[in-house]
Amino acid sequence: MTASATARVALVLVSHSDQLARGAVELAAQMAPNVLLVPAGGDGTGGLGTSFEQVERALDLATAEGRSAVVLTDLGSAVLTTESVLDLADPELAARVRLADAPFVEGAVAAAVTAHGGADLDAVLAAAEHAGSTFAPTGDPGTPAAAVPSGEPAEGEAVVALRNPLGLHARPAAVLARMVAGFDAAVTVDGVNAASVLELMKLGAAGGQSLTVRSTGPEGRAALDAVVAAIEGGFGEV
């Protein structure tokens, strides 16, 4: 569980394996340190399975202090356990919880990065569920890159070299996605939505590669400048 969360939406990760739940929390926390991530893995006695009591405690913790929560699950019975808990929960608490239809690990990462940027419950849920289409087979159009606001002129375009020797891997991709989420702008990097950590990682951009950044929207110019500066600065890694 992350300790210094400030985001208004938390995540609960329900898995049949305690290790899997904790591992997913560890991974997502590296990219979204301001989000409360609560594992609820195993049957509560050290075995594989799910536990009504564990999920109930996790939801209580996640929704404390007025937070909302998105729940991600690994297998079908984890869904059933979570639904049972929500059926018996206080209606006010249940109204602040959404059960995502999303891949467990990818959805957790995408949702955590979105929540870190201050997004609301619906936006965090959408980020988790969109993760399932991010790795669609080649030829599947999936969800398009960040939409260009109607009537908004393009604020700019820049080509910048990626300095990170390991390329645009998970950490810098998360930094970039969180940064873009803070602007009222639509930003793309090599044609993909720069607010999506999974789409950025899917680019497979290598160190030394040139990236094309485009932005639109009321804060498009500021977003473009910030993204270019971050890439040129190597995201603090070089």
Side-chain angles (χ1 to χ4, degrees), residues 38 57 83 103 142 144 205:
V38 186
R57 285 194 297 270
E83 289 177 339

mmCIF file of all heavy atoms in Angstrom, residues 38 57 83 103 142 144 205:
data_model
loop_
_atom_site.group_PDB
_atom_site.id
_atom_site.type_symbol
_atom_site.label_atom_id
_atom_site.label_comp_id
_atom_site.label_asym_id
_atom_site.label_seq_id
_atom_site.Cartn_x
_atom_site.Cartn_y
_atom_site.Cartn_z
ATOM 1 N N VAL A 38 -4.249 -0.208 -2.929
ATOM 2 C CA VAL A 38 -4.503 -1.168 -1.851
ATOM 3 C C VAL A 38 -4.609 -2.577 -2.444
ATOM 4 O O VAL A 38 -5.514 -2.861 -3.228
ATOM 5 C CB VAL A 38 -5.802 -0.826 -1.104
ATOM 6 C CG1 VAL A 38 -5.957 -1.741 0.106
ATOM 7 C CG2 VAL A 38 -5.814 0.632 -0.678
ATOM 8 N N ARG A 57 -12.193 -4.789 3.667
ATOM 9 C CA ARG A 57 -11.247 -3.895 4.358
ATOM 10 C C ARG A 57 -10.533 -2.989 3.370
ATOM 11 O O ARG A 57 -10.311 -1.797 3.640
ATOM 12 C CB ARG A 57 -10.224 -4.731 5.137
ATOM 13 C CG ARG A 57 -10.768 -5.348 6.405
ATOM 14 C CD ARG A 57 -9.620 -5.848 7.284
ATOM 15 N NE ARG A 57 -8.851 -6.899 6.631
ATOM 16 C CZ ARG A 57 -9.134 -8.199 6.743
ATOM 17 N NH1 ARG A 57 -10.173 -8.584 7.478
ATOM 18 N NH2 ARG A 57 -8.391 -9.106 6.144
ATOM 19 N N GLU A 83 -18.216 -7.836 -6.229
ATOM 20 C CA GLU A 83 -19.630 -7.482 -6.379
ATOM 21 C C GLU A 83 -20.426 -7.826 -5.114
ATOM 22 O O GLU A 83 -21.328 -7.071 -4.721
ATOM 23 C CB GLU A 83 -20.212 -8.206 -7.593
ATOM 24 C CG GLU A 83 -19.703 -7.670 -8.929
ATOM 25 C CD GLU A 83 -20.229 -8.454 -10.120
ATOM 26 O OE1 GLU A 83 -20.652 -9.621 -9.940
ATOM 27 O OE2 GLU A 83 -20.204 -7.900 -11.239
ATOM 28 N N PRO A 103 -7.695 -5.145 -18.098
ATOM 29 C CA PRO A 103 -6.576 -6.040 -17.772
ATOM 30 C C PRO A 103 -5.949 -5.621 -16.452
ATOM 31 O O PRO A 103 -5.832 -4.425 -16.163
ATOM 32 C CB PRO A 103 -5.625 -5.849 -18.958
ATOM 33 C CG PRO A 103 -5.980 -4.523 -19.542
ATOM 34 C CD PRO A 103 -7.454 -4.355 -19.310
ATOM 35 N N GLY A 142 -8.515 0.569 -32.585
ATOM 36 C CA GLY A 142 -8.578 0.905 -31.167
ATOM 37 C C GLY A 142 -9.107 2.303 -30.948
ATOM 38 O O GLY A 142 -9.887 2.831 -31.738
ATOM 39 N N PRO A 144 -8.551 6.272 -30.881
ATOM 40 C CA PRO A 144 -7.628 7.183 -31.545
ATOM 41 C C PRO A 144 -6.803 7.985 -30.556
ATOM 42 O O PRO A 144 -7.109 8.054 -29.367
ATOM 43 C CB PRO A 144 -8.571 8.095 -32.346
ATOM 44 C CG PRO A 144 -9.869 8.031 -31.606
ATOM 45 C CD PRO A 144 -9.947 6.644 -31.061
ATOM 46 N N ALA A 205 10.038 3.591 -28.276
ATOM 47 C CA ALA A 205 11.027 4.582 -28.712
ATOM 48 C C ALA A 205 12.378 4.321 -28.043
ATOM 49 O O ALA A 205 12.467 4.187 -26.829
ATOM 50 C CB ALA A 205 10.528 5.989 -28.373
#
